[in-house]
C-alpha cells in the first residue's frame, strides 16, 4: 500500500468542508431531504481523494455507511418499519465486521455479535442527536477531529483521514444549521426549509425547522455520521488490551449516550426541544476526546478512564430515568396515590366487594341489596331560587 503523507487528514478535512459547504447551499433550497446524501458524498470524495489507494477497511466502512444513509433517506421520505430498519443496519454492520472492523473484547466468536450490536446501538444513538435541537453536526465535528488526532497517535493514518473528512463535512454543514430567510419561527407554528410546518413548535425531519432556529440534517446524515464514527472508534481499538478497548469505545460514545437520555426524557415530559443541548454535548465531546488522546499517549490509565466514563453514563441515565420517568408529575399525581390507597387503605377481605361496588357505580348500574331506590333529586345551584309553589283549588 502506498504510504499516506502526514498532511493527508488535514487535506481531507478541508476538501470535505468545502464540498459540503458548496453542495448544501443548492440542496437546502431545492430538496432538503438530500442533505445527508450530500454529507456522505462529501466525506467519501474527500477520503478517497486524500488516500489515493484507499484502505479496504475504509472502503467497507464508507460502503456500509452509504447503505445506512440510503436507508435513512427512505425513512425520511416515506414510512419504514423499525424492524426493517434494524435488519438493514445489522446487515451493514455485519459486512463491516466481516471486513475486519470489530470490537475485540473476548478474542472469541462472541466479538462478532457484540460488534454488530454496538455499531447498531451507537448509530441510532447518534441519530437521536439530530432531533435534539440539531446537535449532531457540532458533536460529530468535535468527535471526528479528536478521533483523527487519536488515530495519528496510534499509527492509523487511513482512519485519521476518514475521521477528519467526516469532521470537515460536518463543519461545512454547521452554517446551514440555522434558518436564513427560508423559514419562520413566529408563534407556535414553524415552517422550515422544506416548506412544511407543524403547530406546537415541533419540526419535521430532513431539513425542516425546529424551535431555537435550528434545521436538522435528517435521518440519512445522522445515521451516516453515527455509523462512521462508531466504526472508526471500533477499528482504532481492535487488537489492543481490554482497558484500551473499553476506553476507546466508551469515550467517543458518551456524548451520544447522554444525548439519547436527554431526548428520551424530553419525550416523556412532552417538552420542547432542548436549546442548550448542543453546547453541553460539544463540551462533553471535547472532554472525552481529550481523555482519549491522553489514553493513547499513555498519560492516563485506560482502565480507570473507562470505569469513570461508564459510571458517568450510568449515573446520568439512572438520574434521568428516576426523575423524568419514575417520578414524573403525571405518574406521581395519578398512579402513585391510587396504588397507595389500594395498598394501605383497603380493608383485607373486602377488596373484591369494594372493586365490584366501584365498577357498579362507575358503570351506572342500579344498586342491589338494601340500598334505597327511587328518584334522585336534581341538585340546584347555589344562586337559583326554589321552584314556585302552585296552589290549586
Amino acid at each position: 500500500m502506498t504510504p499516506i503523507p502526514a498532511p493527508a487528514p488535514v487535506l481531507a478535512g478541508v476538501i470535505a468542508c468545502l464540498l459540503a459547504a458548496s453542495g448544501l447551499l443548492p440542496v437546502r433550497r431545492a430538496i432538503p431531504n438530500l442533505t445527508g446524501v450530500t454529507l456522505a458524498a462529501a466525506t467519501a470524495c474527500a477520503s478517497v481523494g486524500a488516500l489515493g489507494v484507499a484502505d479496504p477497511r475504509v472502503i467497507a466502512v464508507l460502503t456500509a455507511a452509504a447503505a445506512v444513509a440510503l436507508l435513512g433517506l427512505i425513512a425520511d421520505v416515506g414510512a419504514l418499519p423499525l424492524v426493517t430498519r434494524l435488519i438493514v443496519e445489522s446487515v451493514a454492520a455485519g459486512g463491516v465486521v466481516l471486513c475486519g472492523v470489530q470490537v475485540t473484547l473476548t478474542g472469541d466468536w462472541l466479538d462478532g455479535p457484540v460488534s454488530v450490536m454496538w455499531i447498531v446501538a451507537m448509530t441510532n444513538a447518534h441519530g437521536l442527536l439530530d432531533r435534539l435541537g440539531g446537535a449532531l453536526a457540532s458533536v460529530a465535528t468535535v468527535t471526528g477531529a479528536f478521533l483523527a488526532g487519536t488515530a495519528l497517535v496510534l499509527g492509523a493514518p487511513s482512519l485519521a483521514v476518514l475521521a477528519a473528512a467526516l469532521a470537515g463535512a460536518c463543519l461545512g454543514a454547521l452554517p446551514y444549521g440555522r434558518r436564513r430567510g427560508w423559514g419562520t419561527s413566529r408563534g407556535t407554528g414553524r415552517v422550515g426549509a422544506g416548506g412544511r410546518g407543524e403547530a406546537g413548535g415541533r419540526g419535521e425531519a430532513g431539513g425542516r425547522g425546529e424551535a431555537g432556529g435550528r434545521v436538522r440534517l435528517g435521518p440519512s446524515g445522522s445515521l451516516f455520521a453515527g455509523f462512521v464514527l462508531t466504526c472508526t472508534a471500533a477499528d482504532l481499538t481492535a487488537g489492543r488490551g481490554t482497558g484500551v478497548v473499553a476506553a476507546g469505545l466508551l469515550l467517543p460514545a458518551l456524548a451520544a449516550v447522554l444525548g439519547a437520555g436527554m431526548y428520551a426524557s424530553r419525550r416523556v415530559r412532552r417538552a420542547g426541544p432542548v436549546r442548550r443541548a448542543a453546547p453541553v454535548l460539544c463540551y462533553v465531546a471535547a472532554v472525552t476526546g481529550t481523555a482519549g488522546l491522553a489514553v493513547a499517549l499513555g498519560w492516563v490509565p485506560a482502565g480507570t478512564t473507562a470505569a469513570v466514563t461508564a459510571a458517568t453514563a450510568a449515573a446520568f441515565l439512572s438520574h434521568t430515568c428516576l426523575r423524568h420517568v419514575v417520578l414524573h408529575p403525571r405518574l406521581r399525581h395519578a398512579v402513585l396515590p391510587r396504588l397507595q390507597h389500594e395498598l394501605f387503605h383497603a380493608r383485607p377481605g373486602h377488596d373484591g366487594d369494594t372493586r365490584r361496588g366501584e365498577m357498579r357505580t362507575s358503570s351506572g348500574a342500579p344498586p342491589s341489596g338494601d340500598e334505597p331506590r327511587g328518584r334522585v333529586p336534581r341538585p340546584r345551584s347555589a344562586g337559583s331560587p326554589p321552584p314556585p309553589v302552585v296552589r290549586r283549588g
Side-chain angles (χ1 to χ4, degrees):
M1 180 181 296
T2 306
I4 300 174
V10 179
L11 179 63
V14 173
I15 293 176
C17 182
L18 295 177
L19 290 177
S22 60
L24 285 177
L25 182 60
V27 166
R28 279 295 193 189
R29 295 178 176 178
I31 309 176
N33 293 328
L34 295 181
T35 301
V37 178
T38 307
L39 190 72
T43 304
C45 292
S47 300
V48 175
L51 287 175
V53 180
D55 191 347
R57 295 176 299 177
V58 175
I59 294 296
V61 170
L62 288 175
T63 304
V68 174
L70 181 60
L71 175 71
L73 179 62
I74 295 174
D76 189 14
V77 175
L80 187 66
L82 179 61
V83 177
T84 305
R85 176 175 171 178
L86 292 178
I87 289 176
V88 175
E89 291 176 355
S90 301
V91 172
V96 170
V97 169
L98 291 178
C99 292
V101 180
Q102 61 178 347
V103 179
T104 56
L105 282 176
T106 62
D108 203 351
W109 62 271
L110 290 175
D111 290 339
V114 169
S115 303
V116 171
M117 290 187 292
W118 178 258
I119 293 174
V120 171
M122 290 301 104
T123 299
N124 289 278
H126 281 88
L128 294 179
L129 293 180
D130 192 34
R131 303 181 182 182
L132 199 66
L136 172 70
S138 54
V139 172
T141 300
V142 177
T143 305
F146 277 100
L147 279 179
T150 306
L152 289 177
V153 171
L154 295 177
S158 58
L159 296 179
V161 168
L162 179 60
L166 179 63
C170 294
L171 181 63
L174 280 179
Y176 304 94
R178 294 184 180 275
R179 281 190 297 269
R180 294 185 178 180
W182 350 294
T184 59
S185 59
R186 298 179 181 177
T188 56
R190 288 172 172 83
V191 181
R196 285 184 281 178
E198 185 176 357
R202 295 180 60 188
E204 295 289 340
R208 301 165 199 115
E210 276 194 358
R214 296 200 174 271
V215 178
R216 292 167 48 186
L217 295 179
S220 56
S222 60
L223 293 179
F224 176 83
F227 193 90
V228 171
L229 288 176
T230 307
C231 291
T232 303
D235 198 9
L236 281 176
T237 60
R240 306 183 187 274
T242 306
V244 176
V245 172
L249 293 177
L250 292 176
L251 287 173
L254 182 60
V257 172
L258 299 184
M262 292 180 183
Y263 179 77
S265 65
R266 180 177 72 100
R267 290 298 298 268
V268 170
R269 293 182 288 112
R270 296 181 182 179
V274 183
R275 299 182 180 182
R276 299 181 181 179
V280 172
L281 293 177
C282 283
Y283 176 76
V284 172
V287 171
T288 54
T290 306
L293 280 175
V295 170
L297 293 172
W299 296 347
V300 178
T304 305
T305 306
V308 171
T309 306
T312 303
F316 176 80
L317 294 179
S318 301
H319 175 265
T320 302
C321 181
L322 182 64
R323 180 178 179 182
H324 298 297
V325 179
V326 178
L327 298 180
H328 192 262
R330 189 183 302 109
L331 187 64
R332 291 199 307 265
H333 297 298
V335 180
L336 293 182
R338 186 179 305 173
L339 293 177
Q340 182 180 3
H341 176 75
E342 292 182 358
L343 290 177
F344 298 103
H345 296 284
R347 292 181 298 174
H350 296 277
D351 295 339
D353 300 338
T354 305
R355 293 177 182 175
R356 284 194 294 270
E358 291 177 356
M359 293 175 59
R360 286 196 302 268
T361 305
S362 60
S363 61
S368 61
D370 298 335
E371 299 178 1
R373 297 185 180 182
R375 183 177 180 181
V376 179
R378 186 176 183 180
R380 294 182 286 110
S381 59
S384 61
V389 179
V390 181
R391 297 183 179 180
R392 297 182 182 179

